[in-house]
Amino acid sequence: MNRQNSQDNKENTPARKRLVIATNNSGKLREFREMLSSFGFEVISMKEAGFTGEIIEDGDTFEENAHIKARTVFEAVGIPTMADDSGLEIDFLDGAPGVYSARYAGEGATDGERCQKVLDEMHGVPRELREARFVCSIYFIYDEDDEYSVRGEVRGYIGDEPLGENGFGYDPIFMLNEDESMATISEEEKNSISHRANAFKKLSEIFKEKFA
Ligand code: IMP
């Protein structure tokens, strides 16, 4: 994409500065929008920013993948870009699904199929070996040579079966305690305790200094 064409022309300059979230996941986009609402940015999707390219996520870590996504979109659209890479790490599976969380049950599999694959692999594993964490790395490019990387985590364990209807991805099998999974709590509560929320708290300290 031609970067020049994608930039605001002066007559149409919006009142609020635009910030792109480099994700195709509508659940994540909603969470980011809510978290960023107080900083006066107009948070837009890649599609709204005119990004039609492909992003090849071939990093070995969440940090590398977040950087790749943010850099690819920023170079195409030329406005501040934020990307996250996130996933589930299970100690018993040596950190899997890890950076392969999205593709864990193969391309085109559903969230339900991915959850079931993990449940099958954890079948019969005792509670004390079911420890897991959601990890979120966020990479923010405000401008050339003005970039930030933060990481947040939330700890839990893998349940014996899916529980709850809220959230997305692995939320129904990620237990916070005996009664609650990440998919039984409200979106508001998830947004205050999640890996993304914890990463965002770090990022918001940067935003407060920079934009408040
Ligand atoms: P990516 O960060 O877009 O590459 O997604 C990684 C994978 O982790 C996806 O399959 C998501 O469903 C999953 N994932 C990311 N964040 C969450 C979350 O908050 N809850 C449940 N699953 C998540």
Side-chain angles (χ1 to χ4, degrees):
M1 173 190 233
N2 181 328
R3 181 168 161 165
Q4 196 61 41
N5 287 346
S6 70
Q7 288 183 330
D8 298 326
N9 93 32
K10 286 225 164 69
E11 284 157 21
N12 290 329
T13 302
R16 292 185 298 157
K17 195 166 179 70
R18 295 193 302 163
L19 189 158
V20 192
I21 307 296
T23 182
N24 284 316
N25 181 318
S26 57
K28 279 189 190 177
L29 183 64
R30 198 170 57 241
E31 289 181 10
F32 269 102
R33 206 165 249 155
E34 193 169 312
M35 289 180 193
L36 285 165
S37 58
S38 59
F39 289 104
F41 281 93
E42 182 191 357
V43 175
I44 61 174
S45 65
M46 295 196 293
K47 196 170 163 206
E48 287 164 329
F51 179 79
T52 53
E54 198 190 346
I55 302 176
I56 299 167
E57 285 177 49
D58 55 1
D60 293 326
T61 63
F62 294 115
E63 280 73 18
E64 275 174 34
N65 279 338
H67 187 192
I68 290 167
K69 288 187 233 186
R71 175 56 51 192
T72 306
V73 175
F74 178 77
E75 282 178 1
V77 303
I79 59 177
T81 303
M82 192 175 284
D84 87 327
D85 196 54
S86 55
L88 178 66
E89 287 185 340
I90 302 171
D91 294 344
F92 185 78
L93 302 179
D94 295 326
V99 291
Y100 302 106
S101 291
R103 296 158 271 171
Y104 200 49
E107 298 292 337
T110 62
D111 279 344
E113 287 164 342
R114 279 186 282 275
C115 285
Q116 194 54 52
K117 178 170 161 71
V118 170
L119 289 177
D120 290 346
E121 288 171 343
M122 296 297 286
H123 184 72
V125 175
R127 162 68 187 87
E128 63 271 21
L129 296 178
R130 302 181 77 89
E131 300 295 315
R133 74 193 74 83
F134 276 127
V135 178
C136 173
S137 168
I138 300 178
Y139 205 94
F140 177 49
I141 304 180
Y142 186 60
D143 208 342
E144 286 296 350
D145 303 324
D146 194 3
E147 308 184 3
Y148 307 86
S149 176
V150 294
R151 163 185 271 238
E153 297 185 2
V154 59
R155 292 185 161 271
Y157 64 95
I158 302 302
D160 294 323
E161 55 188 29
L163 180 68
E165 310 271 309
N166 302 335
F168 64 95
Y170 297 97
D171 283 343
I173 61 168
F174 191 87
M175 303 300 294
L176 299 165
N177 55 54
E178 276 183 22
D179 304 316
E180 292 177 309
S181 77
M182 200 65 111
T184 63
I185 62 175
S186 67
E187 183 171 334
E188 194 183 13
E189 197 175 343
K190 181 180 171 187
N191 281 351
S192 71
I193 63 151
S194 76
H195 46 316
R196 229 175 325 283
N198 289 332
F200 195 79
K201 278 172 201 154
K202 295 182 185 173
L203 198 64
S204 68
E205 292 305 313
I206 296 167
F207 268 55
K208 274 182 208 153
E209 282 210 359
K210 216 173 154 52
F211 304 115

